[in-house]
């Protein structure tokens, strides 16, 4: 259930990225379509999470449990990793602000940090599959910085934010399905 709960959290974060990043540079109809698709994907992950809860309550478990010693969200995770990520996230945002960079660049930093999060946890959770979205998100963050450097600031939230949200949400939905179907 920890895995499904983590994917549920990921789906919420992906949806938030999409809702916050759709801006006036997109047509209103495309913005509506993106928001509706995000809501549908989030709903599907919620349904899979609820089905997973039902299976777990009836004695079911994953065929292949996560190998991490304390599970996904042990005390060490919260104390060390979340604190380190928060420090890096806010330190980076502070540096960007101190360098007087436009606010749109923050979304590129958030995408980059989300990618680092996934890449760092691939070996910790012994889930090589996390490397794919991690590398994609790092590249999306770098692309956002490149767009900002090319003075295409209005594109940074869409490129870094929407693409980050789509990557996280699609991965959460796909892995939720895989996890749910592997429960016995």
């Amino acid at each position: 259930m920890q895995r499904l709960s983590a994917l549920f959290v990921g789906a919420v974060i992906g949806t938030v990225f999409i809702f916050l990043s759709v801006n006036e540079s997109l047509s209103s109809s495309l913005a509506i379509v993106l928001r509706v698709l995000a809501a549908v994907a989030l709903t599907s992950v919620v349904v899979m999470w609820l089905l997973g809860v039902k299976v777990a309550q009836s004695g079911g478990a994953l065929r292949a449990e996560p190998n991490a010693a304390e599970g996904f969200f042990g005390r060490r995770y919260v104390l060390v990793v979340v604190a380190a990520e928060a420090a890096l996230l806010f330190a980076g945002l502070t540096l960007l602000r101190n360098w007087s960079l436009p606010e749109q660049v923050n979304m590129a930093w958030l995408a980059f940090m989300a990618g680092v999060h996934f890449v760092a946890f691939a070996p910790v959770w012994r889930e090589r599959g996390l490397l794919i979205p991690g590398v994609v998100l790092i590249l999306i963050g770098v692309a956002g910085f490149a767009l900002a450097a090319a003075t295409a600031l209005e594109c940074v939230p869409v490129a870094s934010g929407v693409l980050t949200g789509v990557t996280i949400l699609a991965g959460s939905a796909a892995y939720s399905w895989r996890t749910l179907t592997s429960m016995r």
Side-chain angles (χ1 to χ4, degrees), residues 91-117:
L93 292 173
T94 301
L95 280 174
L96 294 174
R97 186 175 49 252
N98 289 342
W99 290 336
S100 299
L101 292 174
E103 189 175 298
Q104 293 91 330
V105 177
N106 291 350
M107 194 56 74
W109 178 248
L110 293 172
F112 183 84
M113 285 300 300
V116 169
H117 168 83

Side-chain angles (χ1 to χ4, degrees), residues 20-28 31 35 104 153-154 157-158:
L20 293 178
S21 301
V22 171
N23 64 23
E24 58 278 346
S25 66
L26 292 176
S27 71
S28 61
R35 287 181 175 135
Q104 293 91 330
L153 287 173
E154 69 281 350
V158 174

Side-chain angles (χ1 to χ4, degrees), residues 7-178:
L7 293 166
F8 172 75
V9 170
V12 170
I13 291 170
T15 303
V16 169
F17 260 98
I18 291 169
F19 272 74
L20 293 178
S21 301
V22 171
N23 64 23
E24 58 278 346
S25 66
L26 292 176
S27 71
S28 61
S29 57
L30 180 57
I32 291 168
V33 167
L34 286 170
R35 287 181 175 135
V36 167
L37 289 174
V40 168
L42 175 60
T43 302
S44 73
V45 172
V46 169
V47 168
M48 287 184 271
W49 182 79
L50 290 170
L51 290 171
V53 168
K54 186 175 180 177
V55 169
Q57 287 175 342
S58 65
L62 289 174
R63 288 189 183 102
E65 290 291 337
N67 294 322
E70 290 185 22
F72 284 154
F73 300 109
R75 180 180 297 155
R76 187 176 65 191
Y77 174 89
V78 172
L79 294 177
V80 176
V81 177
V82 172
E85 285 184 350
L88 285 171
L89 177 67
F90 290 112
L93 292 173
T94 301
L95 280 174
L96 294 174
R97 186 175 49 252
N98 289 342
W99 290 336
S100 299
L101 292 174
E103 189 175 298
Q104 293 91 330
V105 177
N106 291 350
M107 194 56 74
W109 178 248
L110 293 172
F112 183 84
M113 285 300 300
V116 169
H117 168 83
F118 284 107
V119 168
F121 282 114
V124 172
W125 291 350
R126 297 183 185 132
E127 283 284 340
R128 291 186 319 191
L130 291 173
L131 291 172
I132 295 168
V135 169
V136 168
L137 293 172
I138 288 171
L139 293 173
I140 289 170
V142 170
F145 284 116
L147 284 169
T151 65
L153 287 173
E154 69 281 350
C155 296
V156 175
V158 174
S160 290
V162 172
L163 292 178
T164 295
V166 167
T167 301
I168 294 171
L169 192 52
S172 294
Y175 276 100
S176 291
W177 176 254
R178 187 176 114 190

